[in-house]
Amino acid sequence: MISLKQHGREVSDLWRSIRAIAGEDDETVVDTVDGEGGAISALRAAIQAAIEAEAHAVACKALEASYAARRKVLEDRAERYRQSAAAFLQEVGEKSIRLPEATISWRATGPQLIGDIPPAADLPDDCVKFQRVKHEPSIKAALQAGRVIPGVFLSNGGVGLTVRKS
């Protein structure tokens, strides 16, 4: 199978000569080049694959949120079942019971936070955790300003592709 890059090399001269004849008529250029070797078909296949991959990524992101919410519901349910089992053991005066599924026992726990905890900005400094995390836009700005950051360099840039779907 010939790659899109190989098609591009083979078609570039043909594309330029047809463009010179057809002028700004993109449809004529595309149809003519495609008839000469299938490069446009390869290009279309690549763009269709990119659009499909992007759609899958969007769907996965939506599923992640849905699954996270579902996971939270299930975790909360499991905790309620555990609490009711512990309450049962306490009610009947048993510290532990051996069941076919598992041996269960209750234990005293320490105090837990209850109530609405305010946002971190409203808490005293000794009640929040500060994390040192890398901030790539700041690193890029520092490098562009001429600072040296060991192990990090700026690339020469690249090429982006805009795909407008009609």
Side-chain angles (χ1 to χ4, degrees), residues 33-151:
V33 170
D34 198 33
E36 291 294 323
I40 300 303
S41 296
L43 181 62
R44 288 183 63 210
I47 293 303
Q48 288 168 354
I51 290 169
E52 184 177 332
E54 290 164 352
H56 283 289
V58 168
C60 285
K61 189 170 187 174
L63 286 172
E64 286 173 1
S66 174
Y67 288 160
R70 182 70 180 144
R71 184 188 72 236
K72 177 75 171 118
V73 166
L74 293 171
E75 289 170 347
D76 290 348
R77 182 181 300 160
E79 183 57 28
R80 286 191 306 274
Y81 282 132
R82 287 175 178 275
Q83 289 173 358
S84 66
F88 175 82
L89 288 178
Q90 288 177 315
E91 186 67 30
V92 297
E94 294 290 332
K95 182 77 173 160
S96 69
I97 287 183
R98 186 176 306 208
L99 301 172
E101 296 80 9
T103 299
I104 61 172
S105 59
W106 66 269
R107 60 178 162 57
T109 61
Q112 303 293 315
L113 292 175
I114 56 173
D116 294 325
I117 299 173
D122 297 339
L123 292 170
D125 285 348
D126 63 334
C127 294
V128 294
K129 181 171 139 180
F130 294 96
Q131 287 185 315
R132 185 179 178 104
V133 295
K134 62 184 173 185
H135 186 246
E136 291 185 16
S138 298
I139 296 169
K140 183 178 178 183
L143 291 171
Q144 288 171 329
R147 285 187 48 203
V148 175
I149 299 175

Side-chain angles (χ1 to χ4, degrees), residues 141-161:
L143 291 171
Q144 288 171 329
R147 285 187 48 203
V148 175
I149 299 175
V152 183
F153 308 95
L154 289 173
S155 73
N156 291 331
V159 176
L161 178 69

